[in-house]
Amino acid sequence: MTSIMFKGAKIISTGSAIPSTKLSNHEISEIVQTSDEWIFTRTGIKERRVLQNLDQSIIDLAVAASNKALNKISMDANEIDLIILATSSPDDLFGSASKIQSKIGATNAVAFDLTAACSGFVIALVTASQFLQTGSYRNVLIIGADVLSKWTDWSDRSTCILFGDAAGAAILQSCDVNNNSVLGFQLNTNGNYSNHLSIAYKQGSYPHPKLNLYQGSFKYIAMNGKEVYKFAVFQVPLSILNCLKSLNISVTEVDWLLLHQANERILSAIADKLSIDSSKVISNLDKYGNTSAASIPLALDEELEQSKISTNDIIVIAGFGAGLTWGTIVLRW
Ligand code: UT7
């Protein structure tokens, strides 16, 4: 899918933040029946970061990632017009983006949350570029942040080995249409399979005998890992191929494949299906596990910090997860 474009859009800075506490496979093997060997060979994960400090929340991670992105380019937060927080684990069901707006001092920005689980950052990137390419806004801050450790069933070995907490941010700016970097995208949802991965509503008790209603809360993460695995390996290559085809870009022109960091075997299977060499596949799963909406911006920020990505490189980014929702966005760096 391409859009009507009056202006171009490009990422001008990135930042990321992780909690200081590491949780190794070995430590998890002390609470559920698993082993470092099982986790590493089935997922590629060695350790993950978890938010342990009671005084810290997703807001602190998101603010730290955002400030790093702002500081790298010495941008005043007042210049930001829009903040999109992609998260499924906000501090507040009404949204956490406004707290970030306040804490970084982006007084001129409107801020809202976007819930699309592990595809959240890709959809935030698409949404931001729409506002920029139509000329509505000049500077947009997008953040992918999740603290799924708060929503993990720590007695369920099929899920508690996977997730970690983190935040990643990117600042996008409008530019001349000839310098456009966000080339195109392809997004999909199949809600028939939403039950394969959810943090479902939990019916609570009656608040008062005279009131015929109940108050709720949420359950922990429930996942049919096998089905999500099959869905990702089948659908994501198709989305990438469709997106590249619509842009007249061949797979051989792809310099970097940046997939949602869910499982090393999923990354390899998708790359194999596309005949993309493993040297082009960005992966940091071993250190952080699956950080949901944060996984793509965290990996992108790390690659940029290591100066691995060069000007004009074609980066294919694809997210997939709960919804089930999946999608691709193609950037020319
Ligand atoms: O970001 C959202 C997207 N989420 C995903 O992408 C997750 C996709 N799915 C996966 O990554 C994989 O399905 C898992 C890593 C979750 C599981 O790997 P798997 O190779 O699909 O394992 P499985 O579910 O087929 O289980 C194989 C065996 C089972 O035992 P039996 O029935 O063969 O005796 C499980 O009970 O492994 C067992 N098992 C474990 N054993 C040790 C499941 N979890 C564990 C564990 N440690 N942590």
Side-chain angles (χ1 to χ4, degrees), residues 12 20 34 43 45 52 69 76 80 96 99 121 133 151 154 166 170 203 211 253 262 278 284 288 311:
I12 57 167
S20 54
T34 189
T43 69
I45 300 166
Q52 210 177 32
D76 193 311
I80 303 285
S96 286
K99 280 190 199 147
F121 189 79
Q133 289 169 336
W151 298 100
W154 289 100
Q203 185 177 318
L211 290 174
E253 292 173 80
S278 59
N284 62 12
Y288 308 120
T311 307

Side-chain angles (χ1 to χ4, degrees), residues 28 34 81 118 120 165 187 200 208 216 225 237 242 245 253 257 300 321:
I28 292 186
T34 189
D81 304 302
C118 302
D165 304 337
L187 303 175
H208 192 280
N242 283 339
K245 193 175 168 201
E253 292 173 80
L257 183 61
L300 178 64

Side-chain angles (χ1 to χ4, degrees), residues 34 38 42 118 157 197 225-226 228 260 262-263 265-266 290:
T34 189
W38 193 97
R42 298 280 181 135
C118 302
R157 68 176 182 174
L197 183 48
K226 260 195 186 331
V228 177
H260 164 53
N263 182 324
R265 285 157 56 218
I266 295 180
N290 177 345

Side-chain angles (χ1 to χ4, degrees), residues 32-35 38-39 42-43 118 157-159 161-163 197 223-230 232 260-263 265-266 290 292 320-322:
V32 289
Q33 205 179 354
T34 189
S35 64
W38 193 97
I39 301 171
R42 298 280 181 135
T43 69
C118 302
R157 68 176 182 174
S158 68
T159 54
I161 56 156
L162 291 175
F163 300 101
L197 183 48
M223 181 176 74
N224 184 335
K226 260 195 186 331
E227 289 304 322
V228 177
Y229 189 106
K230 283 193 280 183
H260 164 53
Q261 307 286 297
N263 182 324
R265 285 157 56 218
I266 295 180
N290 177 345
S292 189
F320 53 89

